[in-house]
Amino acid sequence: MNITVSTCFIAVDDHDKALPFYRDVLGLEVRNDVAFEGMRWVTVGSPEQPGVSIVLEPPLADPNASAADREAMTNLLAKGLLRAVLFSTDDVDATFERVRAAGGEVVQEPIDQPYGVRDCAFRDPAGNMLRFNQVKK
Protein backbone atom coordinates (compact mmCIF):
# COMPACT_ATOMS: atom_id res chain seq x y z
CA MET A 1 0.00 0.00 0.00
CA ASN A 2 1.29 3.46 -0.94
CA ILE A 3 -0.18 6.64 0.58
CA THR A 4 0.94 10.11 -0.50
CA VAL A 5 -0.26 13.65 0.06
CA SER A 6 -2.18 15.02 -2.93
CA THR A 7 -4.03 18.08 -1.70
CA CYS A 8 -4.10 20.39 1.29
CA PHE A 9 -6.27 23.44 1.99
CA ILE A 10 -5.53 26.98 3.10
CA ALA A 11 -8.35 29.32 4.12
CA VAL A 12 -8.19 32.76 2.54
CA ASP A 13 -10.59 35.66 2.88
CA ASP A 14 -9.79 37.30 -0.46
CA HIS A 15 -8.61 35.22 -3.40
CA ASP A 16 -7.67 38.32 -5.39
CA LYS A 17 -5.16 39.25 -2.66
CA ALA A 18 -3.99 35.68 -2.04
CA LEU A 19 -3.40 34.69 -5.65
CA PRO A 20 -0.62 37.22 -6.44
CA PHE A 21 1.19 36.13 -3.25
CA TYR A 22 1.06 32.41 -4.00
CA ARG A 23 1.60 32.75 -7.77
CA ASP A 24 3.91 35.74 -8.16
CA VAL A 25 5.84 35.78 -4.88
CA LEU A 26 6.11 32.06 -4.12
CA GLY A 27 6.19 31.00 -7.77
CA LEU A 28 3.40 28.44 -7.56
CA GLU A 29 1.45 27.65 -10.71
CA VAL A 30 -2.32 28.11 -10.86
CA ARG A 31 -3.95 24.79 -11.66
CA ASN A 32 -7.63 25.56 -11.27
CA ASP A 33 -9.96 28.44 -10.42
CA VAL A 34 -13.52 27.36 -9.68
CA ALA A 35 -16.56 29.28 -8.47
CA PHE A 36 -19.57 27.53 -6.96
CA GLU A 37 -22.55 28.87 -5.05
CA GLY A 38 -20.96 32.21 -4.30
CA MET A 39 -17.65 30.73 -3.20
CA ARG A 40 -14.32 30.29 -4.99
CA TRP A 41 -11.55 27.70 -4.86
CA VAL A 42 -8.16 28.35 -6.46
CA THR A 43 -5.74 25.45 -6.74
CA VAL A 44 -2.01 26.18 -6.85
CA GLY A 45 1.07 24.02 -6.67
CA SER A 46 4.79 23.86 -7.21
CA PRO A 47 5.89 23.00 -10.75
CA GLU A 48 8.40 20.70 -9.01
CA GLN A 49 5.55 18.68 -7.44
CA PRO A 50 2.81 18.19 -10.03
CA GLY A 51 1.06 15.64 -7.82
CA VAL A 52 0.65 17.93 -4.79
CA SER A 53 -1.84 20.80 -4.81
CA ILE A 54 -2.87 23.53 -2.39
CA VAL A 55 -6.47 24.70 -2.56
CA LEU A 56 -7.06 28.29 -1.48
CA GLU A 57 -10.57 28.08 -0.12
CA PRO A 58 -12.96 30.40 1.72
CA PRO A 59 -12.89 30.14 5.52
CA LEU A 60 -15.10 27.20 6.42
CA ALA A 61 -16.21 26.38 2.88
CA ASP A 62 -18.72 23.80 4.15
CA PRO A 63 -22.20 24.83 2.90
CA ASN A 64 -23.72 23.18 5.98
CA ALA A 65 -21.67 25.20 8.48
CA SER A 66 -23.58 27.50 10.79
CA ALA A 67 -23.25 31.27 10.60
CA ALA A 68 -21.64 31.21 14.05
CA ASP A 69 -19.02 28.69 12.91
CA ARG A 70 -18.27 30.76 9.79
CA GLU A 71 -17.83 33.85 11.92
CA ALA A 72 -15.54 31.98 14.33
CA MET A 73 -13.32 30.78 11.46
CA THR A 74 -13.23 34.24 9.90
CA ASN A 75 -12.21 35.72 13.26
CA LEU A 76 -9.46 33.12 13.79
CA LEU A 77 -8.14 33.77 10.29
CA ALA A 78 -8.16 37.54 10.87
CA LYS A 79 -6.19 37.06 14.10
CA GLY A 80 -3.56 34.99 12.28
CA LEU A 81 -4.23 31.96 14.47
CA LEU A 82 -4.58 29.45 11.63
CA ARG A 83 -1.51 27.57 10.53
CA ALA A 84 -1.06 26.67 6.92
CA VAL A 85 1.61 24.85 4.96
CA LEU A 86 5.26 24.20 5.63
CA PHE A 87 7.30 24.60 2.46
CA SER A 88 10.76 23.15 1.81
CA THR A 89 13.37 25.14 -0.04
CA ASP A 90 16.98 24.57 -1.02
CA ASP A 91 17.92 28.10 0.10
CA VAL A 92 15.86 29.46 2.99
CA ASP A 93 17.81 32.73 3.14
CA ALA A 94 17.18 33.51 -0.55
CA THR A 95 13.51 32.53 -0.14
CA PHE A 96 13.25 34.81 2.89
CA GLU A 97 14.75 37.76 1.00
CA ARG A 98 12.49 37.21 -2.02
CA VAL A 99 9.30 37.03 0.07
CA ARG A 100 10.31 39.96 2.30
CA ALA A 101 11.25 42.09 -0.73
CA ALA A 102 7.79 41.39 -2.17
CA GLY A 103 6.20 42.76 1.00
CA GLY A 104 5.58 39.51 2.88
CA GLU A 105 4.77 40.01 6.56
CA VAL A 106 7.74 38.56 8.43
CA VAL A 107 6.93 36.37 11.45
CA GLN A 108 10.42 34.95 11.92
CA GLU A 109 13.72 35.66 10.18
CA PRO A 110 15.83 32.63 9.17
CA ILE A 111 17.29 30.78 12.15
CA ASP A 112 18.91 27.40 12.72
CA GLN A 113 16.48 25.24 14.67
CA PRO A 114 17.71 22.62 17.17
CA TYR A 115 15.71 19.97 15.29
CA GLY A 116 17.90 20.11 12.19
CA VAL A 117 16.46 22.73 9.85
CA ARG A 118 17.02 26.39 9.10
CA ASP A 119 13.65 28.08 8.76
CA CYS A 120 11.71 31.31 8.56
CA ALA A 121 8.03 32.25 8.66
CA PHE A 122 5.65 34.73 7.04
CA ARG A 123 1.96 35.50 7.09
CA ASP A 124 0.12 35.33 3.79
CA PRO A 125 -2.28 38.16 2.85
CA ALA A 126 -5.09 36.38 4.77
CA GLY A 127 -2.98 36.05 7.94
CA ASN A 128 -2.05 32.34 7.69
CA MET A 129 1.40 31.44 8.96
CA LEU A 130 3.58 29.87 6.28
CA ARG A 131 6.91 28.36 7.25
CA PHE A 132 9.84 27.73 4.89
CA ASN A 133 12.60 25.35 5.87
CA GLN A 134 15.84 23.99 4.56
CA VAL A 135 17.32 20.77 5.86
CA LYS A 136 20.85 21.34 7.13
CA LYS A 137 23.53 19.71 5.00
Side-chain angles (χ1 to χ4, degrees), residues 38-56:
M39 292 187 273
R40 182 179 177 194
W41 289 263
V42 178
T43 304
V44 296
S46 169
E48 304 298 319
Q49 289 183 298
V52 180
S53 296
I54 300 169
V55 179
L56 306 175

Side-chain angles (χ1 to χ4, degrees), residues 1 9 12 14-15 24 26 31 33 39 53 60-61 64 88:
M1 183 169 80
F9 296 84
V12 298
D14 185 335
H15 286 87
D24 304 334
L26 300 186
R31 296 180 178 161
D33 191 339
M39 292 187 273
S53 296
L60 201 56
N64 299 315
S88 293

Side-chain angles (χ1 to χ4, degrees), residues 43-101:
T43 304
V44 296
S46 169
E48 304 298 319
Q49 289 183 298
V52 180
S53 296
I54 300 169
V55 179
L56 306 175
E57 66 172 359
L60 201 56
D62 184 338
N64 299 315
S66 71
D69 288 343
R70 287 183 198 283
E71 184 178 343
M73 282 295 293
T74 299
N75 290 338
L76 290 172
L77 180 62
K79 291 178 181 177
L81 295 176
L82 299 181
R83 293 181 176 262
V85 173
L86 193 150
F87 293 92
S88 293
T89 177
D90 60 350
D91 189 337
V92 75
D93 294 286
T95 299
F96 176 81
E97 290 304 328
R98 187 179 75 220
V99 176
R100 179 168 67 177

